[in-house]
Each structure stands twice: as structure tokens, then as C-alpha cells.
Amino acid sequence: MPKNQNTFSSLRRRVANRAVQAGWRWMQQAGAVTAGTPGRLRFGAIGEGTRLAFPQGTVFGEQWIRLGEHCIIAEQVTLTAGMMPDLDLGPDPVLVLGNGVVLGRGSHVIADTRISIGDDTFCGPGVYITSTNHSYDDPHEPVGRQWPRSSPVEIGPGCWLGTGAVILPGARLGRNVVVAAGAVVRGEVPDHAVVAGAPARIVRRWEPETGWQPPLRTPAPVPIADGITPEQLRGLAALAAAEAEAGRLSPDRA
């Protein structure tokens, strides 16, 4: 193929790529759901600064879903109230997110009965929270056809739910609870606890008298002082890297 034809083909691909990227960015902006741009979704409440990224996952029963202020709902997040669309769930909200809640990409919150998530709770990608579980009482009937069991879920403020965590019906998490990635939580978890495993168990807990037990293995991060600019932070990072490199090359380490 002649060189000028190759150049023309490459140019077309670059132009097409830029057009597709620009179009996708435009769709992400135009398709996001906010209080001012709810689209077809009519939530019971959606607070100021809250944003559902585009594309959204499955959403229904939104009349019984209340979203607080400044929540971040990532792409492909499922939010449902009720077992199926078009049910009358009564006068009270079924799914309630507090202010500043973050739901990571691909997470699911399935509320057949009440689920509440406290302020400033952050969820990583793929978190699954449900108030309903399949039953298997009848050994002769397919599990999927047996009537499920439901129990309310309460997640306190300030929690962190790691990637792939599962919160089962009836779970009650206290304040500032850490759920490790992939953990499966049922029952009650006290304030300031770290749980891991399937089923999850407490692996670390903070008490006012003793602090963290077992003790933390890493020092607490040093907070950034007020007034520090991004340029200063980059300079400090470069200085730390240079000092580390100098220490690695030092004759004393030979």
C-alpha cells in the first residue's frame, strides 16, 4: 500500500478515535443523574451535589429511595426498592442513603425491606448489599422458586466496605466499621471494628482504654498541613524519592 494511503488511513483512525472519545465524554455528562437533571428517574429525594454516573445500572422503586447530599454513585450501580417494579411499598422510604455516601462501580443495593446507609460511608467496586435472601426450606422445590426471607439492614456512618464485600439481610454495622474486600457480613458488628472473611469475623477493634487491638502494623499517616500547594507536595515527593535513592546508593549500605 502506498505510503500516503497509509498516512491517510492512520489519520482517519485518529480522527475517529477522538470523535468517539469526545462523544462518550459528552454522553457521560449528559446522561448523569442529579437533582436538577433526574431524567426518567423520580427519586423520593435526591440531595444537592449528588450524582449518579452514566450509564446507570438497574434502578426501580425510586419513589421509595432517598439519596442524601453529595453522594457519588458510580457507573452501573443497581438501586432497587421492592421485589419488582410498579409495587406500592407504602408511605415510608425503603432505601435511604445518608449524606456523602459513595457507591463504587458495579455495586448493588437491593432493598426489599428497609436498608439505611449512614453518612460518609464509602463502598468499593462490586459491593453487594441486600435485605433479602433466598430460602431453601423445601428440599423438593427449586431454591429460586421458594419465597425469600427479608430482614432490615443498617450500616452506620463513616464505614468503609471493601471491593466485593457482601452485606446480608439483618446485618447491623456500627460506626466507622471496616469491612475487608470479599468479606460476607451477617449479624451485628460493633463500632470501630475491622471484619474479614466469609463469614466475616472481627479481626481488629478499637477501644478508648486500649486503642487498636491487635495494634496497627503501620504508623498513622501524617495529615497535610493547611496551605500546602500541589506544587509543594510534588516537590516534597521528589525530595523524598531523591533521599531514598541516595540512601540506596550509599556505601554504608553495601
Side-chain angles (χ1 to χ4, degrees):
M1 184 180 292
K3 183 176 180 181
N4 60 344
Q5 192 169 347
N6 281 333
T7 302
F8 180 69
S9 178
S10 176
L11 177 61
R12 283 196 304 178
R13 284 196 298 269
R14 289 199 300 270
V15 170
N17 177 268
R18 291 178 181 176
V20 169
Q21 294 292 333
W24 179 247
R25 286 193 295 271
W26 180 87
M27 286 192 293
Q28 286 179 309
Q29 292 294 325
V33 170
T34 66
T37 57
R40 63 175 180 82
L41 300 176
R42 295 293 182 265
F43 290 101
I46 179 167
E48 179 184 357
T50 287
R51 182 183 180 91
L52 284 74
F54 177 85
Q56 291 89 40
T58 300
V59 179
F60 62 75
E62 60 267 26
Q63 179 181 343
W64 291 274
I65 300 176
R66 296 181 179 271
L67 309 177
E69 298 179 354
H70 303 290
C71 296
I72 299 174
I73 315 297
E75 296 177 13
Q76 300 291 357
V77 170
T78 292
L79 297 173
T80 65
M83 297 186 69
M84 61 187 70
D86 303 321
L87 296 178
D88 186 348
L89 304 180
D92 299 322
V94 175
L95 171 55
V96 179
L97 272 60
N99 298 328
V101 171
V102 175
L103 296 177
R105 181 188 176 95
S107 293
H108 291 66
V109 186
I110 312 297
D112 294 341
T113 189
R114 185 177 173 90
I115 293 179
S116 63
I117 302 177
D119 294 348
D120 300 313
T121 285
F122 289 13
C123 301
V127 169
Y128 191 89
I129 303 169
T130 181
S131 60
T132 298
N133 213 347
H134 293 287
S135 60
Y136 47 88
D137 302 68
D138 187 343
H140 306 294
E141 185 73 12
V143 173
R145 294 183 179 178
Q146 299 188 45
W147 195 255
R149 288 187 171 89
S150 297
S151 186
V153 171
E154 181 180 350
I155 299 174
C159 293
W160 168 258
L161 279 59
T163 300
V166 177
I167 311 299
L168 293 176
R172 297 184 62 188
L173 279 61
R175 182 183 187 89
N176 284 26
V177 168
V178 175
V179 178
V184 180
V185 181
R186 61 185 304 172
E188 188 161 347
V189 180
D191 295 348
H192 309 297
V194 180
V195 297
R201 61 182 183 86
I202 296 175
V203 296
R204 180 172 278 120
R205 189 174 178 187
W206 182 87
E207 296 285 359
E209 299 81 11
T210 58
W212 285 105
Q213 296 297 327
L216 297 175
R217 291 173 294 189
T218 55
V222 178
I224 297 174
D226 292 339
I228 295 293
T229 66
E231 290 75 15
Q232 290 172 320
L233 287 175
R234 284 193 289 269
L236 288 172
L239 178 61
E243 290 178 346
E245 181 67 12
R248 188 179 69 83
L249 299 176
S250 172
D252 295 337
R253 295 179 61 87

